Amino acid sequence: MKKRFFLTIYICLFIAALIGCSKSADLNYSDKQSDSLEKGNLTVIGFSQLGAESDWRSANTESMKETFTEENGYKLIFEDGQQKQANQIMAIRKFIQQDVDYIVLAPVTETGWDTVLKEAKDAGIPVIIIDRMVDVDDESLFTCYVGSDFELEGKKACEWLKSYCEKTFVNPSMLHIVNLQGNIGSSAQIGRTTGLRKYAYENHWDLLEEVPADFTQTKGREEMRKLLKKYDNINVVYCENDNEALGAIEALEEAGKMIGPNIRYGEVMVISFDGINEEARQCVRENKISCIAECNPLHGPRVQTIIEMLELGKTPMKHSNVSEGIYVHDLIVDKIRVDSIEYPVTILK
Ligand code: GZL
């Protein structure tokens, strides 16, 4: 009798356990279901943007947001690093916890990414680097890079300056140049500065001073003011982006300087990079900025192509650079040649 009693209890407990498991499985399943419902069929992308310092940056962010919409099948999680690498590293760790499908990183500076990119790799999340580059010991820590060749941008701007001097009979020894640099340690600053230094060395240009101006208009104006107090012979201002150039122009006008390409007649020539800011483009039309080396911010569609390839199990190019031009006021220099490749120049209408 006793035996039958305990057997009945055991069987009831066993059936209860079975129902419980199936419920929790259902629970898990419904949890999973709600999880997948949250993601739906969307591809989830964690995008760590470095900041909002310039018009170029805003256009870059806009391009990513316009591309990775839910209508296009994506869920974009956007984090603004506010110019701080620590914020970007925190964002990447958050993306890893959220188990996103892809991480896109626009790094504020080149170094200091190895550890967090290793964490993303260990989590099996592909990382796509855009715009500026990362300097890591092991390039398997990121899937691929798409952005600009910044040293080439610098060389193009300098080759235009060299050709312009030749065409207008300005002796290279007449040039007295200052460089308003971007964020120190960023690929854009490193490349554009390297291009200038190479040309200054090879052509015996007088490179008076290089100062960080953080790619912003405010800093460009402040640093230009200081340089004008220090030097009375500046006749070329090399600005590593358009926002700095606009700030420099404000300071030059405050100081009563004539701004333009006619160095022989005492004008101060302004050279810049990007070409996305409408005010800067207007300055080219008015010959206040003599030349802008284009830096194209529209990486959204390029990243989408990469992700579509990865989704199909294909392998994108490890490094891809976008092709970029030169914007000018007139065709005194109608083409330039850099590293034996010819580039057209474009008059800004
Ligand atoms: C270049 C980009 C630079 C732009 C600046 O790709 O990193 O940062 O030239 C921006 O305008 O702030």
Side-chain angles (χ1 to χ4, degrees):
M1 177 56 177
K2 239 183 178 180
K3 260 190 186 168
R4 193 175 298 159
F5 170 74
F6 281 112
L7 187 58
T8 313
I9 294 295
Y10 178 73
I11 290 167
C12 291
L13 286 174
F14 181 66
I15 291 167
L18 270 183
I19 292 169
C21 282
S22 70
K23 264 244 172 309
S24 66
D26 283 350
L27 195 62
N28 282 339
Y29 177 71
S30 62
D31 259 5
K32 280 261 176 306
Q33 216 180 21
S34 68
D35 236 12
S36 68
L37 278 180
E38 257 168 47
K39 280 189 178 182
N41 298 325
L42 301 177
T43 301
V44 182
I45 297 167
F47 175 33
S48 170
Q49 176 60 287
L50 63 91
E53 76 287 355
S54 66
D55 298 86
W56 189 100
R57 188 66 49 204
S58 307
N60 181 247
T61 295
E62 202 44 45
S63 173
M64 291 290 289
K65 286 182 174 176
E66 281 169 0
T67 302
F68 296 106
T69 59
E70 298 211 354
E71 300 76 62
N72 290 345
Y74 300 94
K75 178 179 174 58
L76 182 73
I77 306 172
F78 176 79
E79 292 284 348
D80 177 347
Q82 295 173 344
Q83 304 290 328
K84 291 188 178 65
Q85 180 176 41
N87 292 343
Q88 291 198 277
I89 289 171
M90 219 160 22
I92 292 170
R93 287 187 169 133
K94 218 167 107 185
F95 297 150
I96 293 169
Q97 278 168 6
Q98 291 166 307
D99 190 24
V100 298
D101 298 307
Y102 296 92
I103 290 172
V104 178
L105 169 65
V108 64
T109 184
E110 286 199 343
T111 55
W113 302 100
D114 300 71
T115 304
V116 75
L117 292 182
K118 176 82 172 53
E119 291 165 24
K121 182 178 179 183
D122 292 346
I125 301 175
V127 177
I128 299 164
I129 309 294
I130 68 167
D131 178 22
R132 302 174 187 179
M133 190 44 174
V134 293
D135 177 6
V136 289
D137 295 338
D138 170 8
E139 286 220 336
S140 73
L141 291 179
F142 65 91
T143 301
C144 60
Y145 162 81
V146 58
S148 301
D149 180 336
F150 301 108
E151 186 173 331
L152 175 60
E153 289 177 354
K155 287 179 176 177
K156 283 182 193 173
C158 292
E159 181 59 33
W160 178 86
L161 174 59
K162 176 171 177 277
S163 306
Y164 194 87
C165 289
E166 286 162 0
K167 299 259 184 171
T168 55
F169 312 106
V170 171
N171 187 305
S173 62
M174 285 173 68
L175 297 185
H176 304 289
I177 303 169
V178 289
N179 178 10
L180 297 178
Q181 296 173 295
N183 301 98
I184 299 299
S186 67
S187 314
Q189 175 273 314
I190 293 169
R192 292 167 188 167
T193 294
T194 302
L196 172 62
R197 287 178 182 170
K198 281 188 176 172
Y199 268 73
Y201 176 76
E202 288 163 6
N203 298 284
H204 311 293
W205 294 343
D206 174 19
L207 181 49
L208 290 167
E209 191 166 346
E210 300 181 299
V211 292
D214 296 350
F215 288 133
T216 68
Q217 185 161 345
T218 304
K219 202 84 166 93
R221 184 176 57 243
E222 283 167 10
E223 293 306 321
M224 193 67 236
R225 281 176 180 155
K226 289 182 204 167
L227 289 166
L228 286 168
K229 288 196 173 76
K230 198 169 172 182
Y231 304 98
D232 61 4
N233 60 342
I234 297 169
N235 54 20
V236 177
V237 182
Y238 182 94
C239 308
E240 293 189 352
N241 89 326
D242 289 339
N243 296 82
E244 293 178 352
L246 293 174
I249 287 171
E250 285 180 284
L252 287 164
E253 287 177 334
E254 265 172 23
K257 297 291 182 183
M258 294 187 295
I259 304 169
N262 302 302
I263 291 168
R264 281 157 54 93
Y265 304 110
E267 290 184 344
V268 179
M269 177 189 277
V270 176
I271 289 171
S272 184
F273 294 83
D274 285 350
I276 196 79
N277 174 299
E278 186 45 44
E279 203 182 333
R281 292 166 69 90
Q282 187 54 28
C283 283
V284 172
R285 297 185 191 104
E286 295 166 5
N287 222 353
K288 272 189 182 175
I289 295 179
S290 299
C291 161
I292 295 181
E294 181 194 6
C295 182
N296 188 298
L298 309 179
H299 292 325
R302 299 171 184 130
V303 176
Q304 184 179 20
T305 303
I306 288 168
I307 288 175
E308 286 169 350
M309 285 179 73
L310 293 169
E311 290 286 291
L312 293 171
K314 293 182 179 172
T315 306
M317 269 171 64
K318 189 74 178 178
H319 292 254
S320 53
N321 286 137
V322 296
S323 59
E324 298 166 332
I326 284 263
Y327 299 129
V328 293
H329 176 76
D330 54 42
L331 289 181
I332 290 178
V333 173
D334 59 358
K335 59 180 174 301
I336 55 169
R337 199 170 182 74
V338 177
D339 300 335
S340 62
I341 296 174
E342 205 165 83
Y343 296 91
V345 298
T346 309
I347 290 186
L348 268 186
K349 298 268 186 256

